[in-house]
Amino acid sequence: MQNLALKLVCLLALCSFTLGDRPAYRLFTADNKAADYDQMVADLAQADVVLFGEQHNDPLAHWLELQVAKDLQRLKGPGKLVLGMEMFERDVQPLVAQYAAGTLPDSAFERQARPWPNYGTDYRPLLQFAQAHQIAVIGTNAPRPFAQTVARGSLAALDKLPAADRALLAPLPIKVDYELPGYKNMAAMFGGGSGPHGGGAQTVIQAQALKDATMAYFIRASRQPGQTLLHLNGSYHSDHHDGIVAYLRQGGPALKVRTLSVVTQAQLDRLDKDNLNVADYVVVVPEDMNKTY
């Protein structure tokens, strides 16, 4: 009798634990079907480019990025994974390459490479993993002064740049498709129309396009056949398969691209309407998840 009572107590405790479970995240496909992590990674390993759209201050996203990198490295094997990062601009690429190769000390890298303020907690573990496994790391972003120049004026301001500066960007001139959903949304946010004469929003969209086009260009230029390039970027740069994805398709329509997007929701059992089809795989994180800044 005592054994039966003990079994019932244990069963109730197990049920209570299950009912009270608080998952850190849930994974879905674009059409709201529950996704399996291992199957997702196997799919990502077959891609040429994987765009991981993060929320920059989400610790869960950064942890998942490291897990995906580790698992892709395991599945792909030596020399078959490349890490690309929005967080480093093209003019510091020599420093990024030296650090990944283990020839530049941490202190010098952090002093000279202009890492983001949350680098130490959120991105340094990834670079250390890359260094330990001889994974090439590519900074893909346009240098900020050029994006600021475009935002204050227009893309035409870049035409006067010297050749050395132009080499840090996607080939000019850059064509902007103002009908991309992300750019149309920016036009609405900044109070302009969605066309090439969209008021004050036009130059902001052009600055965004400069970043998207530059990241896409150096993603294509930095991978060899058979390699998967895992690229970390803010989700707005790749959500809805526009932004970086649109420019990747301009220069390489045959590329196999997969996208992930991290979103926050009050509930985790299904995708909110606004998060349907935002990416090939959607990582749902509780809206009260701690932030790194």
Side-chain angles (χ1 to χ4, degrees):
M1 192 69 177
Q2 287 182 336
N3 287 340
L4 178 59
L6 181 60
K7 288 180 181 179
L8 287 173
V9 170
C10 291
L11 180 60
L12 288 171
L14 178 61
C15 290
S16 176
F17 175 79
T18 302
L19 292 173
D21 191 18
R22 292 292 183 270
Y25 75 95
R26 289 277 171 82
L27 182 64
F28 294 89
T29 60
D31 57 355
N32 208 15
K33 295 177 181 176
D36 177 81
Y37 174 86
D38 290 336
Q39 291 179 358
M40 178 191 75
V41 174
D43 180 35
L44 301 182
Q46 302 303 311
D48 300 314
V49 177
V50 176
L51 300 176
F52 197 126
E54 64 171 40
Q55 303 298 318
H56 297 315
N57 61 355
D58 185 348
L60 205 291
H62 300 305
W63 175 78
L64 271 174
E65 287 165 346
L66 181 58
Q67 306 315 305
V68 169
K70 289 179 176 179
D71 288 325
L72 286 177
Q73 169 70 4
R74 173 178 55 82
L75 291 173
K76 299 288 294 186
K80 295 298 185 180
L81 178 65
V82 180
L83 180 64
M85 302 181 70
E86 173 198 1
M87 299 79 200
F88 293 101
E89 298 165 13
R90 285 304 301 170
D91 59 318
V92 300
Q93 177 56 33
L95 300 174
V96 174
Q98 291 174 42
Y99 184 75
T103 59
L104 184 68
D106 285 21
S107 57
F109 178 73
E110 294 183 30
R111 187 173 63 251
Q112 300 173 37
R114 303 193 306 274
W116 288 7
N118 58 326
Y119 164 77
T121 55
D122 298 347
Y123 304 112
R124 189 170 181 263
L126 271 161
L127 267 69
Q128 290 182 320
F129 172 74
Q131 186 183 87
H133 291 83
Q134 299 180 316
I135 298 170
V137 182
I138 311 298
T140 61
N141 208 354
R144 190 170 304 170
F146 300 142
Q148 291 172 338
T149 295
V150 172
R152 289 193 296 263
S154 74
L155 282 167
L158 302 177
D159 294 340
K160 299 178 181 179
L161 289 178
D165 288 343
R166 290 166 70 101
L168 302 173
L169 305 170
L172 303 176
I174 292 171
K175 180 181 178 181
V176 182
D177 181 357
Y178 293 93
E179 294 304 307
L180 290 176
Y183 294 169
K184 291 181 74 172
N185 189 49
M186 289 180 69
M189 286 191 295
F190 288 94
S194 61
H197 305 291
Q202 180 187 4
T203 58
V204 176
I205 295 170
Q206 289 184 3
Q208 181 84 353
L210 173 66
K211 295 181 178 182
D212 290 337
T214 297
M215 286 189 273
Y217 176 75
F218 287 105
I219 287 171
R220 290 197 309 270
S222 301
R223 62 167 297 276
Q224 301 297 320
Q227 290 182 326
T228 294
L229 192 147
L230 171 63
H231 189 264
L232 313 183
N233 52 264
S235 60
Y236 203 88
H237 288 288
S238 54
D239 278 356
H240 301 289
H241 297 90
D242 63 14
I244 297 173
V245 183
Y247 283 103
L248 282 172
R249 288 173 175 161
Q250 280 188 18
L255 279 178
K256 184 176 181 180
V257 180
R258 288 288 183 268
T259 60
L260 290 84
S261 185
V262 179
V263 303
T264 58
Q265 296 185 175
Q267 53 80 30
L268 272 64
D269 61 340
R270 66 187 182 282
L271 290 179
D272 290 348
K273 181 179 178 181
D274 290 345
N275 293 326
L276 290 169
N277 299 306
V278 73
D280 294 311
Y281 297 98
V282 184
V283 181
V284 181
V285 176
E287 63 182 10
D288 60 355
M289 172 65 70
N290 293 340
K291 305 301 181 186
T292 59
Y293 63 89

